[in-house]
Amino acid sequence: MKNLIKITFLSLIFAFSINNVTAQKKMSKNIQPPVAKIVPKKLEKHGDVRIDNYYWLNQREDKEVIDYLNAENKYYEQMTAHTKDFQKLLFEEMKSRIKEDDQSVPYLYNGYWYITRYEKGQDYPVYSRKKGSLEAPEEIMFNCNEMAKGLSYFQLGGVSVSPNNKFATFGVDKVSRRIYTIQVKNLETGEILSDKIENCTGGSVWANDNQTIFYTTKDPVTLRSNKIFKHKLGTDSKDDVLVFEEKDETFSVFIYKEKSKKYLVIGSQSTMTTEYQILNADTPDADFKVFQKRTRGLEYNISHFGDSFYVLTNTDQATNFKLMKTPETATEKENWKDVIAHRDNVLLEDIEIFKDYLVVEERENGLTKLRIMPWSGVGEYYLPFDSETYTAYTSTNVDFDTTVLRYGYQSLKTPSSIIDFDMKNQTKEVKKEQEVLGGKFNKDNYEEKRVWATAKDGTKVPISMVYRKGIQLNGKNPLLQYAYGSYGYSMDCTFSSTRLSLLDRGFIFAIAHIRGGEDLGRPWYENGKLLNKKNTFTDFIDCSKFLIENKYTSPKHLYAEGGSAGGLLMGTVINLAPELYNGVIAAVPFVDVVTTMLDDSIPLTTGEYDEWGNPNDKEYYDYMKSYSPYDNVEAKAYPNMLVTTGLHDSQVQYWEPAKWVAKLRAVKTDKNVLFLDTNMDTGHGGASGRFEALKEIAKEFSFLLDLEGIKK
């Protein structure tokens, strides 16, 4: 009898829950979306006139703007009220897979073991160290949970310990505009010194005297990192000395110390040109010397070892880069000598220098490789990797005099591992493998594969996929297609424990390695930028068509996602081929290309000219306008859409997605959902706490799963 009562009671609860969701869905049909007012703004360039009805939304402090964003948020909350319980379930599910009291693999630097760890139930990391031995008492350097109390956003950055291990500089961002305040902590006493430096990138570098700090500041309007200052410990930052100012608005500037600890290096960088200046770290008051003066199109990176610098560069038409060497006393290009020649089919990405070995990160046929090269010239080899959907990379290697290389490995179905590899004995020790808690995960339950789609111009484009074993290729599988496709940023195949919440509900996850990234070498990037940018968009569409034609999915079940420049991709794709997708997630999307690139007061604009082109040139203006998502919104049907942004975004200003959504609402002809979700407390990277970030992912997943009719 008790069991019968219990069953009846549970049935009533279940029925109430179902009826409640049904009622909420019915109510949502009567909820009207906010309508942004129309205030026509005439924009004219090269004799071409554009009318922007929503230009007024770019006033961040205007009450009417804030009211509109809040109204959009309210509409989104009301329309998705029926998914709230599901969001909570997804959040708890994703959280349950995470080892909450996790910690990094310790590494030894200058006599101390450094560890980053998380405590159970806490959002933020604890940075600590142990002197000489892992059995030594723990010294807590920074407990970010304490530092973040009372803040809606917190980010610690640029922790740098002085050579004598006594002091640490650190940067704090409390707004998510990527503008940091640098302070100094006495690690022996715990005291925060009076030194306080505002408007910085967050990072700083110590000279070898333990008294001099070099740091980078930002232009207060454009947020371009443009100045290097020198600060003496204990002095007022108003008296800091300007060491270098980067006056070319297409360049940003930064400073670091070489692994050898001998040189401080100032770098100036644009999309396609670099320049470095060097200074002996023992003489911080001397002048920096230009390593090789900037030449448009010349890119190079430098690494010091012994009495030489190793130069990774594209000089001499080395499109995929080559490695050269030059004496530290003669650094100009005419002194550079080849170490590793250029290869047409292999991209040279990075190097790691040790006393007896050179480790080279290469990319061939879209796959990363680690090449071990003894300085003796005898016994060169590659680390063996079997999968076609993996990524491998050098990890934290701060010690010269060691035979141990620390590297990372993961694949779409294999959790990330940190591995210590003895380059002499060719033996390895897995120091840590990411734990997926809950007892349900087994990588053998999933299949990963790489396939190749054919683009409209005949180019073969790789697609990496992962899904649960046993699915049938009948066109009924929900599939999330992801891509970025800009800045030469390669989309490596990484593992995600949160993604399991989609895979275990029948989703296929696919990465389209489209042009604009550097997945297949530098030409892959060159063929997806400037006046070749449209290849990025058509590659993505052609990948979608391939997945549909080969029955991995269908337009009723295909979803697309991209963020930032990947959000531009989403905006363009749905203008070109909206019929291919049931739903699209555009995160912090760069969608108002022409207006933004014409406004040199907006952060990053001038530095982007080599990526997108300068619209002050009519040829680039016309080309940008032909694909800019905002400028090409039409009166037609669009997919279901979730658009996200942050009020304090420094990379893509919030008003771009806000204007885009307002325009879409006004002209689209379908009845599909369109949501704008603005985080009023954060910027480009979203929430700062690890659990708050999971809530944002749960929102995205519930959007996709709800469209598929999946409720649990």
Side-chain angles (χ1 to χ4, degrees):
M1 184 67 178
K2 286 183 179 179
N3 286 338
L4 180 60
I5 293 172
K6 184 178 180 181
I7 291 170
T8 304
F9 179 66
L10 290 174
S11 300
L12 287 171
I13 291 176
F14 180 73
F16 174 78
S17 176
I18 293 295
N19 291 334
N20 191 37
V21 169
T22 303
Q24 287 176 340
K25 277 199 159 187
K26 286 181 179 178
M27 286 174 59
S28 69
K29 292 181 180 179
N30 300 319
I31 299 169
Q32 296 302 310
V35 177
K37 71 176 183 179
I38 292 176
V39 183
K41 169 81 172 179
K42 181 180 178 181
L43 302 171
E44 185 172 359
K45 190 72 177 179
H46 304 299
D48 179 60
V49 176
R50 294 178 300 132
I51 303 299
D52 188 345
N53 289 330
Y54 305 102
Y55 189 88
W56 64 275
L57 283 169
N58 70 357
Q59 300 301 310
R60 195 190 317 270
E61 308 300 327
D62 188 282
K63 182 180 182 300
E64 197 167 2
V65 171
I66 298 300
D67 288 345
Y68 171 72
L69 296 177
N70 283 328
E72 283 284 3
N73 281 350
K74 182 179 179 181
Y75 173 71
Y76 167 65
E77 292 296 324
Q78 290 175 324
M79 290 291 289
T80 58
H82 65 282
T83 70
K84 289 304 178 186
D85 288 343
F86 193 22
Q87 287 181 37
K88 290 176 183 176
L89 183 151
L90 289 167
F91 168 75
E92 293 297 339
E93 179 178 287
M94 291 185 286
K95 183 180 177 183
S96 71
R97 298 192 192 105
I98 296 173
K99 182 174 169 54
E100 291 192 42
D101 53 347
D102 203 4
Q103 73 171 40
S104 65
V105 178
Y107 68 90
L108 182 65
Y109 180 70
N110 200 22
Y112 280 82
W113 288 94
Y114 287 88
I115 303 163
T116 303
R117 61 178 177 82
Y118 285 91
E119 297 176 343
K120 194 166 185 177
Q122 297 295 316
D123 254 323
Y124 295 96
V126 176
Y127 294 90
S128 66
R129 66 178 187 173
K130 296 182 178 183
K131 187 175 182 178
S133 165
L134 288 172
E135 282 68 50
E138 180 186 51
E139 300 176 23
I140 293 180
M141 301 164 62
F142 301 99
N143 185 337
C144 294
N145 299 291
E146 294 295 326
M147 299 170 75
K149 280 185 177 178
L151 300 174
S152 57
Y153 182 89
F154 175 85
Q155 187 67 48
L156 180 73
V159 175
S160 178
V161 179
S162 61
N164 64 2
N165 293 312
K166 183 176 180 179
F167 302 105
T169 53
F170 64 100
V172 171
D173 175 11
K174 299 178 181 178
V175 180
S176 189
R177 286 281 285 172
R178 300 188 182 182
I179 302 174
Y180 289 80
T181 297
I182 291 176
Q183 293 180 268
V184 184
K185 183 174 183 177
N186 185 323
L187 297 176
E188 295 177 355
T189 66
E191 175 192 6
I192 304 295
L193 305 189
S194 59
D195 307 68
K196 198 169 188 178
I197 306 166
E198 308 281 357
N199 191 36
C200 303
T201 59
S204 56
V205 179
W206 290 89
N208 290 342
D209 64 355
N210 299 294
Q211 292 294 312
T212 309
I213 303 164
F214 292 84
Y215 61 91
T216 311
T217 62
K218 292 188 171 187
D219 181 284
V221 177
T222 66
L223 303 187
R224 178 176 69 94
S225 53
N226 64 337
K227 293 178 181 178
I228 304 291
F229 281 90
K230 178 171 59 180
H231 174 80
K232 296 291 184 179
L233 209 60
T235 65
D236 193 317
S237 61
K238 293 178 182 177
D239 300 324
D240 290 353
V241 176
L242 177 63
V243 174
F244 175 70
E245 180 178 4
E246 180 52 75
K247 295 183 178 179
D248 188 328
E249 294 182 347
T250 66
F251 281 75
S252 58
V253 68
F254 53 92
I255 187 166
Y256 67 94
K257 184 186 281 188
E258 282 287 343
K259 184 176 175 179
S260 68
K261 305 178 186 176
K262 183 175 181 179
Y263 287 98
L264 299 166
V265 182
I266 293 175
S268 293
Q269 187 173 40
S270 71
T271 303
M272 58 185 295
T273 307
T274 49
E275 179 184 77
Y276 289 94
Q277 303 172 56
I278 59 175
L279 174 67
N280 191 306
D282 290 334
T283 59
D285 294 326
D287 295 328
F288 280 80
K289 170 185 173 292
V290 174
F291 188 92
Q292 160 61 41
K293 68 178 182 181
R294 67 188 67 181
T295 304
R296 182 167 173 77
L298 174 64
E299 297 176 67
Y300 68 95
N301 289 311
I302 59 176
S303 300
H304 178 254
F305 177 58
D307 57 2
S308 303
F309 278 94
Y310 287 81
V311 185
L312 195 62
T313 179
N314 68 345
T315 191
D316 305 325
Q317 298 182 326
T319 307
N320 272 333
F321 289 78
K322 62 179 178 176
L323 185 64
M324 307 184 79
K325 179 182 178 181
T326 193
E328 61 183 352
T329 55
T331 61
E332 293 76 14
K333 186 160 66 76
E334 56 265 26
N335 301 297
W336 300 357
K337 304 296 182 185
D338 278 8
V339 176
I340 300 177
H342 175 258
R343 290 161 290 173
D344 290 333
N345 62 333
V346 178
L347 174 66
L348 209 56
E349 290 195 318
D350 202 0
I351 63 171
E352 192 77 70
I353 294 177
F354 297 88
K355 180 182 176 182
D356 297 319
Y357 297 90
L358 172 67
V359 178
V360 184
E361 290 190 49
E362 301 178 348
R363 188 179 294 269
E364 183 177 10
N365 200 31
L367 300 176
T368 53
K369 296 184 175 182
L370 297 181
R371 181 182 181 186
I372 313 299
M373 303 177 65
W375 290 116
S376 66
V378 179
E380 172 186 322
Y381 59 94
Y382 285 87
L383 292 185
F385 303 117
D386 298 327
S387 169
E388 280 194 317
T389 55
Y390 75 91
T391 182
Y393 48 91
T394 59
S395 184
T396 306
N397 293 280
V398 295
D399 192 1
F400 264 121
D401 192 6
T402 179
T403 62
V404 176
L405 165 72
R406 178 165 289 180
Y407 72 93
Y409 174 87
Q410 57 186 303
S411 77
L412 287 175
K413 72 172 188 177
T414 307
S416 62
S417 296
I418 297 297
I419 300 163
D420 278 359
F421 180 79
D422 191 308
M423 295 178 282
K424 182 178 180 180
N425 301 325
Q426 297 191 31
T427 58
K428 69 179 184 180
E429 178 187 359
V430 177
K431 303 299 290 186
K432 179 182 179 182
E433 182 174 71
Q434 177 186 351
E435 292 185 57
V436 182
L437 302 184
K440 298 179 181 179
F441 173 73
N442 182 344
K443 68 179 182 181
D444 294 331
N445 291 334
Y446 304 89
E447 185 170 344
E448 53 188 1
K449 66 190 297 186
R450 184 166 66 158
V451 296
W452 296 79
T454 303
K456 61 188 297 184
D457 62 359
T459 301
K460 296 292 186 180
V461 182
I463 305 171
S464 300
M465 290 191 288
V466 62
Y467 47 84
R468 280 193 72 94
K469 286 182 177 178
I471 68 165
Q472 296 180 352
L473 300 184
N474 56 12
K476 297 180 181 179
N477 302 300
L479 187 150
L480 176 59
Q481 182 180 332
Y482 185 86
Y484 186 71
S486 291
Y487 302 105
Y489 184 79
S490 299
M491 286 305 304
D492 288 321
C493 297
T494 57
F495 178 80
S496 167
S497 66
T498 59
R499 190 189 299 140
L500 297 174
S501 291
L502 289 181
L503 301 184
D504 290 346
R505 289 175 172 84
F507 263 78
I508 298 171
F509 178 75
I511 301 172
H513 303 280
I514 54 182
R515 281 174 283 186
E518 222 167 49
D519 306 66
L520 270 70
R522 186 63 174 223
W524 201 249
Y525 170 42
E526 300 292 343
N527 288 322
K529 72 175 200 177
L530 296 173
L531 298 176
N532 294 318
K533 190 63 208 170
K534 289 183 182 178
N535 286 334
T536 301
F537 315 130
T538 55
D539 279 1
F540 189 88
I541 291 170
D542 290 332
C543 287
S544 298
K545 290 178 178 178
F546 171 88
L547 293 168
I548 292 169
E549 289 166 2
N550 286 274
K551 303 295 184 181
Y552 287 100
T553 190
S554 64
K556 289 183 179 180
H557 302 287
L558 178 57
Y559 302 90
E561 180 174 10
S564 195
L568 161 66
L569 171 66
M570 295 298 101
T572 306
V573 160
I574 62 170
N575 280 334
L576 295 174
E579 70 282 356
L580 294 180
Y581 309 96
N582 188 38
V584 169
I585 298 174
V588 291
F590 171 42
V591 285
D592 190 12
V593 183
V594 179
T595 305
T596 292
M597 293 304 297
L598 282 170
D599 187 350
D600 59 14
S601 71
I602 293 176
L604 304 182
T605 290
T606 54
E608 304 281 289
Y609 288 157
D610 287 335
E611 178 72 24
W612 312 101
N614 185 344
N616 292 298
D617 179 327
K618 188 175 187 301
E619 182 180 25
Y620 287 108
Y621 174 91
D622 290 341
Y623 190 76
M624 282 182 193
K625 185 184 175 186
S626 71
Y627 68 74
S628 173
Y630 185 63
D631 291 292
N632 289 281
V633 169
E634 297 176 326
K636 61 184 179 186
Y638 284 91
N640 296 285
M641 294 177 62
L642 170 61
V643 183
T644 67
T645 187
L647 182 63
H648 301 290
D649 198 326
S650 61
Q651 310 299 106
V652 178
Q653 305 300 314
Y654 74 89
W655 58 77
E656 291 199 40
K659 288 166 50 177
W660 183 45
V661 167
K663 189 173 183 179
L664 280 165
R665 280 207 196 289
V667 303
K668 74 188 188 83
T669 59
D670 59 86
K671 295 183 179 180
N672 292 328
V673 297
L674 172 60
F675 300 137
L676 174 65
D677 181 22
T678 304
N679 191 321
M680 306 300 281
D681 296 318
T682 67
H684 200 63
S688 56
R690 57 175 175 161
F691 299 134
E692 287 302 310
L694 288 181
K695 291 177 182 177
E696 294 186 350
I697 296 172
K699 283 184 176 183
E700 293 184 3
F701 284 6
S702 68
F703 170 76
L704 299 172
L705 293 164
D706 188 49
L707 291 173
E708 277 295 305
I710 299 172
K711 307 302 179 188
K712 60 181 181 178

